[in-house]
Amino acid sequence: VLPRATAVVNYEVEHNFPDLGARTMLITARTLTHPDRNSHSMLVSIVDVTEGRAKDAAKDMLFGELRHRMKNVLGVAQSIARQMPTEGRSAEEYRDAFLGRFGALMDAQDLAFSEHDDAGLSGLIARVLEPYRGDPGSVVIEGPDVTLAPRTTMSLGMVLHELATNAVKYGALSVSGGQVHVSWQFEEGTGSLRLNWVERGGPAVTPPASTGYGTQLLRFTTTYNLHGKLEQEYAEGGLRVEMVIPLGKANLSS
């Protein structure tokens, strides 16, 4: 720690402690010399900054999400405009149809980032995916309704919105005939929600060469905000995602 320096200030150390888990510590150390110069002591302080570092990472993620969200909104709006059929429509009819879907997109955005829950899981998924429904049967939703805490609603809405955005820009919902199938079940024994997102009939899927911000957002939100697990499979038929999220006091709605 003090090879030749007289002091070390806020030296960051990460260590996995048996009883505490992974922690981040700041070490400050200073050599103390007695006036007679015959005795030496070391003054050491150790500060646990694990929670602070996690909050800083969350704050950085939120700022990044704001930029990413704006980019996605514009990208999805562009995709909606391109996919809207023009044949046999007047300019006014096209405008009204586009504004209808764009308004639904804004509604889904508000719901995804709201801290208030007006519906259960079924309502959340239906509202988030409503703007992306194209051909009949392009979006299939099935599963029991589950009551969610407001914070869970917001975070899960963010995840679903990100998946839907990717599907309409690059995946199954970017072409006619593609389909997104969302299903889930509540495991009463563990109190966990198991949700599956399966895309079919879209462009050929290949694993990305690098981890983009969207993928980072999915993983961060699922693991840090929802304390769950997320697995992605770039299957030949389309993207497959499985999430397992502990819900605690969540319950099946009657």
Side-chain angles (χ1 to χ4, degrees), residues 49-205:
V49 295
T50 307
E51 298 302 325
R53 287 290 188 268
K55 290 180 180 179
D56 289 342
K59 186 183 298 183
D60 291 341
M61 182 61 69
L62 287 175
F63 280 120
E65 165 58 22
L66 178 60
R67 294 191 298 269
H68 187 66
R69 182 184 178 189
M70 291 298 296
K71 181 179 179 180
N72 272 348
V73 168
L74 295 175
V76 172
Q78 186 179 54
S79 297
I80 290 176
R82 287 175 174 173
Q83 293 175 33
M84 294 287 294
T86 58
E87 185 176 353
R89 283 185 170 183
S90 66
E92 292 183 354
E93 290 173 333
Y94 177 88
R95 178 199 63 192
D96 292 341
F98 172 79
L99 290 178
R101 293 194 69 185
F102 189 77
L105 172 64
M106 295 299 97
D107 185 54
Q109 283 277 328
D110 289 340
L111 179 65
F113 291 86
S114 172
E115 294 185 357
H116 303 286
D117 182 17
D118 297 326
L121 178 59
S122 298
L124 169 66
I125 296 177
R127 288 183 63 184
V128 169
L129 296 182
E130 180 60 31
Y132 310 104
R133 291 180 183 271
D135 301 330
S138 60
V139 176
V140 178
I141 300 172
E142 59 178 349
D145 203 9
V146 178
T147 301
L148 302 175
R151 183 178 294 273
T152 302
T153 300
M154 181 179 67
S155 297
L156 187 55
M158 290 171 61
V159 171
L160 292 169
H161 173 74
E162 184 64 28
L163 290 171
T165 297
N166 291 337
V168 79
K169 291 169 67 176
Y170 315 112
L173 298 184
S174 66
V175 297
S176 178
Q179 183 189 77
V180 169
H181 183 218
V182 185
S183 61
W184 65 93
Q185 58 184 351
F186 180 65
E187 301 174 344
E188 297 189 28
T190 61
S192 297
L193 172 70
R194 185 178 297 272
L195 186 147
N196 289 279
W197 174 286
V198 179
E199 298 185 24
R200 304 185 181 98
V205 176

